[in-house]
Amino acid sequence: MRRLLLLGVTAFCLCVFVGADTQPDRQEDESLPEKDGVLQLKKGNFKRALRQHKQLLVQFYVPLTGDGLRISAAFEGAAAELQGSEVKLAVIDIATEKDLAKELNATGFPDIKLYLSGDKNNPVQCPVPQSSSSIVTWLKRRAGSAADLITDLSKLEALEELQVVGFFKELNSEHVQVFYDAAIGLPDINFSVTESNEVISKYGLTHDVVMLLKKSKLIQAYKMMPETSKEELIIFITVYQMDPVTEYTGKTATQILTSPVLNHAILFVNKSSDFQDIYSAFKSAAEAFRLKILFVLVNVDEPRNGRVMEYFKVREFEAPLIRLVNLTDHVTYHLPSETLDVMTIKEFCQSYLDDKAKPKLQSEPIPEGWDKQPVKELVGMTLEKVAFNPNRTVFVMFYLPYSRESRALFPLWEELAKAYKEKEHVVIARMDASANDFNLSMQGRYPSLCLFPALYAERMVVYTGKPKLKDLVKFVNKEMEKAKKYRVKEDEGRKKYIEVAKAEEAKKAEENKDEL
């Protein structure tokens, strides 16, 4: 009996081992889910896709986003063109496959990686494509050589698109390889190479020069040096294919955010008003800082730019103004001037590059003795605590230190503070609006005079009268009288609320007592 039992156990184990050994083969035979020729991958089938395809190009995407939809459409088009090739295209939804995305170090977006020969640890990063053709071009350039770029330039002269043409003395030089490596990194741009002396003499240049052409017109030239790297050439081409100033729109957003130039100067301006002088100054400054700072224009009158304005905490009425930001650390700098001329903008940009500009903080440090002077100096960290004190009437001037109009009110504000010096329940204060962030709905330009009545409700009244002491005092006294009446109603309401709350507590205590 024991012998039969042992035989049975042995047979069972053999079945298990055989089943386990053949399981991968069964899994390998299973087809992977596809949609329009693009694999739909998850954690459970990603490794199998790697084993099945020698080249696997994967888009890590977020559904229903502008970039996600555009790139997905490009992937579908490229999948149709590449049907039957060694390359297979796939997508992974990082919103649902968070663990897989983290494992593959693909938490960014948009993110496209090419996996080769089943190696998941060393993928090749693919540039964000603008179309299906740029995906195909990138794959072809990776598999080809610089010889593929030798073109009859006469055919390119009538094209509207930007042409990047390399003029080289020898097509087997190191310069050509650097040029070709740059071409791989910029699949949305047409690249060509030539060693024709006739073409070179046409533009009056020497050999080993990279030119940006449009309809044969020279936009910019770059002399290749022994130390020139692929990265330097990509930056040159990427920057000069754009205008000196690029307006932020749905079409240009990706180009701006993926630019290799990480320092961005942003002009917030209302294009519906007279802005030509400011734009002209901004553009002139942009020419002086090409390759170092990317100059971007944001139209505050465009509703679709609301998210950008919200990110930089810019209100429409504050325009025009200029901010500088680095996309690596996202530290923001504010141009401290109302005069936006060429010289002022250039000096600001240079001070930023020289690390002399001061960043725009959410709140300045609390000044020592800020509440000892007649006019209290508020910052972002103290505004809410002081302004919304239910037992005090607080009148705040939100000012810009570089504004003549703001500075002109300083003496008047000092006089107002002295007028209420003996009344501890009245606080006269001011705050630098350019250096401190605050969540208040301002309706006009700075300086803005805002009164916070002595109420439990967080209420703000904006002063719109004449900048005269008599008128200011009259305004404050009138608002305090109003607040007294509101306060009586508030106190009555609070008293009723407390009574109801106490009654409910007593009722619950009685019910708990009965249960015991």
Side-chain angles (χ1 to χ4, degrees):
M1 183 70 180
R2 184 182 298 172
R3 189 172 180 183
L4 286 172
L5 181 63
L6 287 171
L7 285 171
V9 171
T10 303
F12 173 75
C13 290
L14 283 171
C15 289
V16 170
F17 287 136
V18 170
D21 189 50
T22 58
Q23 190 70 18
D25 293 333
R26 266 192 246 123
Q27 286 184 346
E28 205 71 38
D29 291 339
E30 292 177 16
S31 61
L32 293 162
E34 283 192 26
K35 182 182 177 183
D36 297 318
V38 180
L39 297 178
Q40 310 294 305
L41 300 184
K42 298 182 178 181
K43 189 174 180 65
N45 60 21
F46 176 73
K47 289 182 180 178
R48 184 149 47 98
L50 275 182
R51 290 195 298 269
Q52 289 183 9
H53 300 285
K54 190 173 181 181
Q55 296 187 52
L56 186 67
L57 186 64
V58 181
Q59 174 202 2
F60 296 87
Y61 79 108
V62 177
L64 304 179
T65 60
D67 279 333
L69 293 171
R70 179 178 57 78
I71 297 172
S72 293
F75 255 56
E76 291 171 11
E81 289 188 56
L82 296 167
Q83 195 171 9
S85 71
E86 286 187 342
V87 184
K88 189 64 179 179
L89 275 64
V91 295
I92 294 175
D93 181 350
I94 64 175
T96 57
E97 297 296 320
K98 294 178 182 177
D99 292 339
L100 179 59
K102 187 176 181 181
E103 178 187 338
L104 299 174
N105 194 29
T107 52
F109 173 77
D111 199 354
I112 304 170
K113 299 177 187 289
L114 176 64
Y115 295 89
L116 302 169
S117 303
D119 183 1
K120 76 169 187 177
N121 298 315
N122 299 290
V124 179
Q125 197 72 34
C126 174
V128 178
Q130 298 299 315
S131 63
S132 60
S133 62
S134 61
I135 295 175
V136 176
T137 299
W138 181 73
L139 291 166
K140 285 181 178 178
R141 287 180 182 175
R142 279 198 75 258
S145 68
D148 299 327
L149 299 179
I150 300 175
T151 310
D152 181 2
L153 297 182
S154 62
K155 296 178 181 179
L156 303 176
E157 292 186 356
L159 295 178
E160 291 283 349
E161 295 84 8
L162 180 77
Q163 310 295 320
V164 180
V165 183
F167 298 90
F168 301 104
K169 189 173 184 179
E170 298 177 0
L171 295 183
N172 60 351
S173 68
E174 291 183 4
H175 287 324
V176 178
Q177 188 56 50
V178 172
F179 181 80
Y180 190 68
D181 290 341
I184 295 173
L186 297 170
D188 292 299
I189 300 176
N190 293 318
F191 280 71
S192 305
V193 295
T194 183
E195 55 182 349
S196 168
N197 288 324
E198 181 182 343
V199 174
I200 293 172
S201 61
K202 175 181 177 180
Y203 293 98
L205 297 169
T206 59
H207 291 90
D208 300 332
V209 170
V210 175
M211 298 179 64
L212 273 61
L213 303 174
K214 213 173 213 181
K215 283 189 173 181
S216 294
K217 183 180 178 182
L218 176 64
I219 297 173
Q220 195 69 28
Y222 183 91
K223 175 66 177 175
M224 297 285 281
M225 305 299 289
E227 65 275 10
T228 299
S229 66
K230 172 192 73 175
E231 291 75 20
E232 289 172 330
L233 193 53
I234 285 178
I235 290 175
F236 165 76
I237 296 168
T238 303
V239 168
Y240 280 98
Q241 73 164 327
M242 302 169 71
D243 293 329
V245 176
T246 303
E247 182 172 354
Y248 182 90
T249 65
K251 292 182 178 180
T252 63
T254 300
Q255 188 180 34
I256 291 169
L257 295 174
T258 58
S259 170
V261 179
L262 299 177
N263 299 318
H264 291 190
I266 308 172
L267 170 63
F268 293 90
V269 68
N270 190 333
K271 286 183 66 179
S272 62
S273 61
D274 185 16
F275 80 108
Q276 286 302 323
D277 289 344
I278 295 171
Y279 176 76
S280 178
F282 192 64
K283 185 177 179 181
S284 296
E287 297 282 7
F289 290 94
R290 299 292 285 268
L291 303 176
K292 294 179 181 179
I293 299 175
L294 188 70
F295 281 66
V296 180
L297 181 148
V298 174
N299 182 11
V300 300
D301 199 36
E302 169 56 63
R304 287 171 291 187
N305 290 338
R307 291 183 66 183
V308 178
M309 294 168 64
E310 182 181 347
Y311 177 83
F312 286 100
K313 294 183 172 61
V314 172
R315 302 167 183 86
E316 184 179 345
F317 69 85
E318 293 179 283
L321 61 84
I322 295 175
R323 295 275 170 83
L324 250 166
V325 64
N326 181 280
L327 296 192
T328 302
D329 55 26
H330 296 280
V331 176
T332 304
Y333 298 77
H334 178 83
L335 173 54
S337 175
E338 282 190 323
T339 307
L340 301 181
D341 55 23
V342 178
M343 188 59 66
T344 303
I345 298 172
K346 282 185 176 181
E347 287 176 355
F348 174 54
C349 291
Q350 193 58 53
S351 68
Y352 168 79
L353 294 175
D354 294 339
D355 291 326
K356 294 179 180 179
K358 294 182 180 180
K360 183 182 185 299
L361 304 175
Q362 286 190 343
S363 174
E364 291 181 298
I366 300 175
E368 186 176 348
W370 66 274
D371 58 346
K372 304 301 181 186
Q373 300 298 322
V375 176
K376 317 305 177 189
E377 194 70 42
L378 302 181
V379 294
M381 289 186 286
T382 55
L383 174 65
E384 188 172 337
K385 183 179 179 180
V386 174
F388 295 120
N389 186 327
N391 298 314
R392 290 185 176 180
T393 297
V394 183
F395 202 6
V396 183
M397 174 173 65
F398 294 93
Y399 69 94
L400 300 175
Y402 48 83
S403 163
R404 294 175 185 172
E405 192 176 352
S406 289
R407 292 197 303 271
L409 283 184
F410 283 11
L412 177 61
W413 219 241
E414 294 286 345
E415 288 183 49
L416 182 64
K418 290 176 182 177
Y420 287 99
K421 188 176 181 180
E422 304 302 324
K423 297 184 179 181
E424 293 184 0
H425 62 282
V426 178
V427 176
I428 307 300
R430 67 186 185 188
M431 191 174 89
D432 182 350
S434 70
N436 297 277
D437 294 332
F438 49 92
N439 294 316
L440 296 174
S441 180
M442 298 292 185
Q443 301 300 319
R445 299 181 65 82
Y446 296 117
S448 186
L449 312 181
C450 304
L451 186 135
F452 301 85
L455 296 169
Y456 287 102
E458 295 184 354
R459 187 164 172 260
M460 182 181 76
V461 184
V462 179
Y463 178 74
T464 57
K466 295 178 180 179
K468 294 183 178 181
L469 180 62
K470 183 177 70 173
D471 293 324
L472 289 168
V473 171
K474 184 179 179 180
F475 169 75
V476 173
N477 292 339
K478 183 180 177 181
E479 290 301 324
M480 284 197 294
E481 288 301 316
K482 283 184 184 179
K484 284 180 183 179
K485 296 176 182 178
Y486 285 125
R487 185 60 179 267
V488 171
K489 294 179 181 179
E490 277 190 341
D491 289 339
E492 289 175 355
R494 286 171 62 84
K495 185 179 179 181
K496 289 179 181 179
Y497 174 80
I498 293 171
E499 288 174 354
V500 171
K502 284 182 177 180
E504 287 181 357
E505 285 182 13
K507 185 179 178 181
K508 286 181 181 179
E510 193 64 33
E511 289 173 353
N512 292 335
K513 184 179 178 182
D514 291 342
E515 289 177 4
L516 294 172

